[in-house]
Amino acid sequence: MMTKYFQHRPNVITGVKKVCSAVAASASLLIASGGTVAAQTDYYNLDAGRPVLSEDAYPVEFRAFELQAAPLRLERASGGQYHWSVEPELAWGVLPRLQIEVGFPTVYLDTDADTRKFGLAGIDASFLYNLNAETETLPGMAVAGDIALPVGGFAHASAYPSLKAIMTRTYSFARIHLNGRYTFGSAPGVGDEIGVEELSRWVGSVAVDKTFPLKSMLFVGEVYARQPIESDRDVEWNAAAGIRYQLTPRLALDAGLGKVLVGEENSWHLTFGTAYAFAVRSLMPGT
């Protein structure tokens, strides 16, 4: 069934090849310009949207903070319009296996030569709880939840809560991640602003990553399906790929590229992000 599906949609195969080729070229530039960073592991962690939609089942370390200072996303819609967004986020390992996070998505819409809009697209509050570490028989599993609050000129009129299930399995050749997310709430009314990323009723993704510890680098690729929150729209299929690289002991970089393969839109997007890990001395035991 799946073979017949892709045989009749050559743009799916072409899109995957283009995504992988572009990311491989970017990775080659990073390898040539960077040396080895020993004993650092932040590059190993997959965060949602950095560089792909899928994330792994593990939170930031207990009592640690991670500041995502400049997660930038550029999307080119099928009509030729460019949409920019940046979402500074702060994550905190508040308890063992539990992180909480707050983000401030800000968007810039370049609709035409005379119309450009800039503003806050809500406040995102979320948590991720790791249910168990991987064993010989069980994958690592986690549950996550978030709520998009209606704050800012580009925010939706209502709050939208979501729940997500995450599974990570490590093999000798790669790690595999499965994510499933469902968003509650009714579809936005006519005239509601929608930011760079439209709301999804549900999203299902599978991602595969490969690490290169001597280079402190990770390669990842994914395929995901999403149902827009409007029930009368078709399911959309996407592919994305990216890299994470440990630049310094505290600073990790990531970059990604994605494209809509099957759907009403024929858009593509680029992402670039940084993550800075730190601790607050007053919150550490014995200080």
Side-chain angles (χ1 to χ4, degrees), residues 171-184:
Y171 298 94
S172 59
F173 58 90
R175 292 192 307 169
I176 298 176
H177 314 279
L178 299 178
N179 287 195
R181 173 178 172 172
Y182 186 87
T183 298
F184 301 88

Side-chain angles (χ1 to χ4, degrees), residues 203-219:
V203 180
S205 69
V206 56
V208 179
D209 73 47
K210 175 65 176 177
T211 58
F212 296 86
L214 296 180
K215 291 291 185 180
S216 294
M217 184 175 291
L218 175 147
F219 295 75

Side-chain angles (χ1 to χ4, degrees), residues 45-58 66 68 71-73 87 89 91 99 101 124 126-128 144 146 164 166 179 181 197 203 205 222 244 254 269 271 273:
N45 300 322
L46 286 180
D47 302 312
R50 299 193 48 245
V52 296
L53 185 68
S54 301
E55 61 183 320
D56 62 28
Y58 300 102
E66 183 179 84
Q68 298 181 19
L72 177 68
R73 176 186 172 101
E87 186 173 355
E89 295 179 334
Q99 78 174 41
E101 189 170 4
D124 292 338
S126 64
F127 76 90
L128 186 150
D146 69 81
K164 180 190 289 187
I166 307 168
N179 287 195
R181 173 178 172 172
E197 293 186 81
V203 180
S205 69
E222 74 171 355
R244 284 180 70 104
D254 60 82
H269 69 267
T271 64

